[in-house]
Amino acid sequence: MFDNGILVAGGDPGFGAIKLDTGETKVLFPAVICKGNERIFSTLGNTPLGKGSDLETQIASLDVIVTNNATGVERHYFMGSLAESLNPNEAHYCWDEDKSTDEEATALLIVALALAQPTDKANVYLGTGVPVKYYAVLKDKYEAELKGSFSVTFKSGPLAAQTRSLNILRSRVLPQSYGVFIKETLNEYGIPSHPKLFSGYVVAIDPGFRTTDIATFYDGVMLDPPNSFSLEKGLKWAYTGVAEKLKEMTSAHENPIETDDKELDKIFRVHGGFYPWNNGAINLNPVMKTMLAQLGTDISREVKKALKPMLGKIHTVLVAGKVGELVFSDLQLENKVLIQDPQFGNATGFRIMAANLVNNLTKKANANQ
């Protein structure tokens, strides 16, 4: 929190997971949501195991009511792993390209903010991003829509029966991958932390769930398309390949396994890549390793093709994202660097950008006094 009581946050609402960074707190949970309902049987045996912090326990039990205080519209949701467990048939990712007017996508981001705020009420400056290919179309719409007053009431977990209110005063939207560059180059006061990255050619690659964003910078300025672009390929593509192979592996049986990316995401995230079946489990890790290697190869090929005129001049390739970490060893690119805490690369960069915005506004206000 700033001295003036403003909570500065960077939110990265990806297709696969919600990431939020306030500097003091980081929030991460699957971007899975469904309508909530009254819980009858699901409360049986639902005793906390005492593992993890209160925040982690709460994230595992997101049974929430989200209210838009301006319109009075109130919605009951299950989110994250709770949605996956309690309503697997209806739980879904928020996959609309335009999340600015997607009520569920907004709700996921609002709940992440409520989890991170240290007090019951907070004024928020929010930095966030959209895929590179949609930035020009969605930037203004995002900044206009992602503000206002909201409340979150928790119906279970350590915060059960508590309500947290927040007022998003302003949101600033950047292209995804730009957040990665900011994280690696600036601090909260706009002071360069890595001057080398402000000279010559630098590329930031952020493979995600559905898309891979590539941003190219020259002397610290992000270049326009075709040098900065989005690939319609990410972890979902790898899961599709795993699903096909799993069906093939069980084809001799009366009911071959048909699965999807949402279920597979949980299999790898929660069960270590082992699909429960018959008297044991099918190890899907070797299949996934093959698919990730191909994904890394495909991303490398597309980057080399698009950036061919400047390839020899690129002195640093910043790789971010959880998926970036998974494919890093398979990226056939020179001068590649996996950034620290890659999953929060964009969220942290968006927070730094929002902090600079607040600091600049504070300076102007003080100068005018």
Side-chain angles (χ1 to χ4, degrees):
M1 296 283 280
F2 274 66
D3 291 341
N4 53 11
I6 291 176
L7 179 69
V8 176
D12 181 11
F15 289 116
I18 298 292
K19 286 87 66 178
L20 188 107
D21 180 13
T22 66
E24 297 175 356
T25 303
K26 288 181 178 177
V27 173
L28 169 69
F29 60 89
V32 178
I33 189 170
C34 65
K35 290 180 181 177
N37 52 44
E38 289 306 312
R39 296 167 64 181
I40 302 169
F41 304 123
S42 61
T43 58
L44 297 174
N46 190 29
T47 306
L49 298 176
K51 293 181 180 178
S53 64
D54 279 355
L55 177 60
E56 290 168 328
T57 305
Q58 185 60 64
I59 286 173
S61 189
L62 292 178
D63 181 352
V64 295
I65 293 174
V66 179
T67 305
N68 182 324
N69 295 330
T71 62
V73 173
E74 186 178 283
R75 300 278 188 252
H76 181 194
Y77 297 113
F78 296 148
M79 295 180 176
S81 58
L82 189 75
E84 292 174 324
S85 300
L86 298 191
N87 201 341
N89 291 327
E90 292 186 19
H92 57 276
Y93 291 108
C94 284
W95 272 2
D96 282 358
E97 308 297 0
D98 180 3
K99 294 192 180 76
S100 66
T101 53
D102 183 327
E103 199 174 68
E104 292 183 338
T106 300
L108 286 162
L109 191 55
I110 295 301
V111 168
L113 283 165
L115 287 165
Q117 68 186 61
T119 55
D120 289 341
K121 295 183 179 180
N123 290 317
V124 180
Y125 267 69
L126 175 67
T128 188
V130 295
V132 171
K133 69 180 289 186
Y134 300 113
Y135 177 72
V137 178
L138 295 181
K139 173 188 177 292
D140 291 342
K141 195 175 180 185
Y142 250 62
E143 291 185 348
E145 294 286 344
L146 291 179
K147 61 184 178 183
S149 176
F150 301 87
S151 297
V152 176
T153 300
F154 297 91
K155 292 174 67 67
S156 64
L159 296 175
Q162 291 187 37
T163 297
R164 288 187 171 176
S165 301
L166 57 108
N167 186 21
I168 302 176
L169 300 175
R170 186 168 175 180
S171 63
R172 179 84 187 277
V173 176
L174 289 177
Q176 281 164 358
S177 290
Y178 204 139
V180 175
F181 184 76
I182 291 174
K183 175 184 180 292
E184 295 301 297
T185 56
L186 292 176
N187 68 13
E188 285 84 347
Y189 299 96
I191 299 170
S193 56
H194 198 155
K196 177 189 173 185
L197 297 179
F198 281 107
S199 63
Y201 287 96
V202 174
V203 174
I205 300 178
D206 180 26
F209 198 84
R210 276 182 61 186
T211 59
T212 294
D213 286 303
I214 294 96
T216 303
F217 298 84
Y218 181 68
D219 287 354
V221 176
M222 185 171 169
L223 302 181
D224 291 326
N227 298 308
S228 298
F229 56 100
S230 296
L231 292 177
E232 294 295 324
K233 185 173 276 192
L235 189 60
K236 182 180 188 296
W237 176 85
Y239 284 152
T240 300
V242 173
E244 290 172 357
K245 184 65 176 176
L246 180 59
K247 185 176 181 179
E248 180 186 313
M249 291 164 72
T250 58
S251 60
H253 294 262
E254 185 178 349
N255 295 301
I257 297 173
E258 295 198 23
T259 185
D260 59 16
D261 32 46
K262 179 163 63 67
E263 185 181 21
L264 286 173
D265 189 50
K266 185 174 182 180
I267 290 295
F268 283 97
R269 184 165 33 83
V270 179
H271 302 297
F274 287 83
Y275 195 100
W277 197 62
N278 278 359
N279 296 323
I282 300 173
N283 182 5
L284 295 176
N285 288 296
V287 183
M288 190 60 170
K289 185 176 181 182
T290 301
M291 295 306 302
L292 288 173
Q294 186 60 54
L295 178 60
T297 299
D298 290 355
I299 291 171
S300 304
R301 183 182 65 248
E302 294 299 324
V303 169
K304 287 176 179 177
K305 185 168 71 175
L307 304 182
K308 189 174 181 179
M310 63 188 75
L311 267 184
K313 302 174 185 177
I314 299 169
H315 64 75
T316 307
V317 176
L318 301 170
V319 181
K322 180 65 176 177
V323 185
E325 188 175 7
L326 292 173
V327 303
F328 181 75
S329 61
D330 297 302
L331 290 174
Q332 299 148 19
L333 298 166
E334 293 183 333
N335 306 319
K336 63 181 180 179
V337 178
L338 182 66
I339 69 168
Q340 190 174 2
D341 200 2
Q343 191 163 21
F344 280 87
N346 273 315
T348 300
F350 295 151
R351 174 182 61 78
I352 291 170
M353 176 266 296
N356 275 286
L357 178 66
V358 172
N359 282 320
N360 288 336
L361 290 172
T362 303
K363 282 180 192 174
K364 288 179 182 177
N366 291 338
N368 293 331
Q369 286 179 359

